[in-house]
Amino acid sequence: MLLNDRFLKACLGEAVDQTPLWLMRQAGRYLPEYNATQAKAGSFLGLAKNPRYATEVTLQPLDRYPLDAAILFSDILTVPDAMGLGLKFTAGEGPSFDHPLRTEEAVKKLRIADMDQLKYVFDAVSEIRKALIQDGKQRVPLIGFTGSPWTLACYMVDGSSTDDFRHAKTMMFSRPDLMQHILDVNAKSVAAYLIEQLKAGAQALMIFDTWGGMLPDGWYQKMSLASMQKVIELLPREYEGNRIPIIMFTKGGAVWMDDMAQAGADVIAIDWTISLSRARKQLLALGKPLALQGNLDPLILFSEPEQIATQAKSLLDDLASAPGLKPGLHALDGHIFNLGHGISQFTPPQSVSALAEAVTKYSRALRSKR
Ligand code: CP3
């Protein structure tokens, strides 16, 4: 029994009383309590690999703010780690792999990720589900996630975060067969990974394609989108009688709205390079009434609380000016409020309170005006 099912309803295009809100990277370094838990755990991976700590930090933002969904605390790079690439996080430098895929031999040896090595993730999912229960009811639904096959390939080939993922793109342009092989292995791996998260208790699934937007038109569709579509095809649409919404997020992907709409996702997450009303109109013109998630620029959270409220309101006003997803729905239905990318670690925590208050009050007020 869910105490608050606004998020799931909005994903499936059903009417809700107010616009649901959650934030990408909502559990993270902008919260002092997160930093305290990470200090206890000793490191980022120490935190992510310990289900008790992962549960603790997953719940922290929910205890502070009126958010409508929890997201599993983990990282997209756990999957290549379980393929034997050797993941490390160096403080201040981000992730790196001991064994990046730089030769044909290394690529050909790549095998589907070993799910046994990811047991800590599935244990965290089931522990979070238990911790979300309050007075016999679940507070909010739990989102599971993965990186997209292409975004994972960027890190797997380059070996760390770089400006341009030069090695990955070079492999794609000069040896598309090798890149295709990596994408195929990744697609099968992340589909298996998402299915295990479902079995452990995830109630919605999100695919993060952070680096799809740096591909040329044509290559995006062939490489990143096609491999995400393969993942979606491998997933069950229902689990234990419940429809499982799938959210697809290609950062910088707004120009490909028509292609993304065909991939089989229930929700398209967008960044700030397209407005919600424009995205809604495009989807309706395609005959694809999919829900939208997004898309406040996370840097707006560095403004004063009044400006944050103004910006959140203008985003809702913009969507309210568009047609509804289906007859009988308010224009604001079928939308999950979020940022267009992860929250910055330097965000003042009180900014999120201002945002949540504005989204709650204003999205209710606009609905009552209908
Ligand atoms: O949203 C959530 O609260 C769930 C947790 C989550 C993390 N990473 C925790 C994390 C999620 C959904 C991710 C996804 C992720 N990881 C993506 C896709 C989304 C995006 O932000 O584009 C990517 C590209 C990664 C890879 C990654 N992980 C990088 C490049 C870094 C270093 C950059 C940085 O922000 O420091 C990480 C580390 C990481 N993953 C942190 C967190 C909270 C910060 C490290 C720390 O806490 O010490």
Side-chain angles (χ1 to χ4, degrees), residues 321-354:
S321 75
L325 210 55
K326 292 169 201 158
L329 285 183
H330 193 278
L332 293 186
D333 290 330
H335 171 228
I336 302 103
F337 204 110
N338 204 314
L339 306 176
H341 196 208
I343 189 167
S344 157
Q345 62 170 307
F346 305 110
T347 306
Q350 66 271 22
S351 292
V352 178
S353 307

Side-chain angles (χ1 to χ4, degrees), residues 23 29 97 107 128 170 177 201 227 233 316 335 341:
L23 305 178
R29 287 165 295 184
F97 287 112
V107 172
I128 296 163
T170 300
D177 59 314
S227 55
E233 281 163 7
L316 291 167
H335 171 228
H341 196 208

Side-chain angles (χ1 to χ4, degrees), residues 76 78-85 101 104-115 118 146-154 156-157 171 176-194 223-224 226-228 230-232 234:
I76 61 167
T78 55
V79 172
D81 189 40
M83 292 172 169
L85 271 65
L101 305 177
E104 177 158 2
E105 198 196 350
V107 172
K108 296 223 159 124
K109 270 204 258 169
L110 189 68
R111 293 289 173 270
I112 293 174
D114 177 2
M115 292 300 128
L118 291 162
T146 181
S148 73
W150 163 253
T151 293
L152 294 180
C154 286
M156 291 161 74
V157 177
M171 182 187 288
D177 59 314
L178 292 185
M179 180 51 76
Q180 196 58 61
H181 178 70
I182 299 175
L183 295 175
D184 288 343
V185 174
N186 285 358
K188 288 178 190 144
S189 301
V190 306
Y193 184 57
L194 290 175
M223 294 286 164
S224 188
S227 55
M228 286 194 279
K230 209 169 291 169
V231 175
I232 295 172
L234 291 169

Side-chain angles (χ1 to χ4, degrees), residues 22-29 34-35 38 43-45 47-48 57-58 61 71-77 89-95 145-147 151 155 160-161 165 206 208-211 249 251 341-343 345:
W22 72 278
L23 305 178
M24 289 191 259
R25 294 271 180 107
Q26 61 191 20
R29 287 165 295 184
Y34 170 88
N35 293 320
Q38 183 170 138
S43 65
F44 173 72
L45 277 181
L47 175 56
V57 297
T58 299
I71 180 161
L72 159 70
F73 186 83
S74 188
D75 197 82
I76 61 167
L77 300 178
F89 276 93
T90 321
E93 280 173 42
F145 70 88
T146 181
T151 293
Y155 291 99
S160 61
S161 298
F165 289 101
M206 176 151 167
F208 286 92
D209 185 28
T210 306
W211 302 120
F249 173 55
K251 184 165 177 282
H341 196 208
I343 189 167
Q345 62 170 307

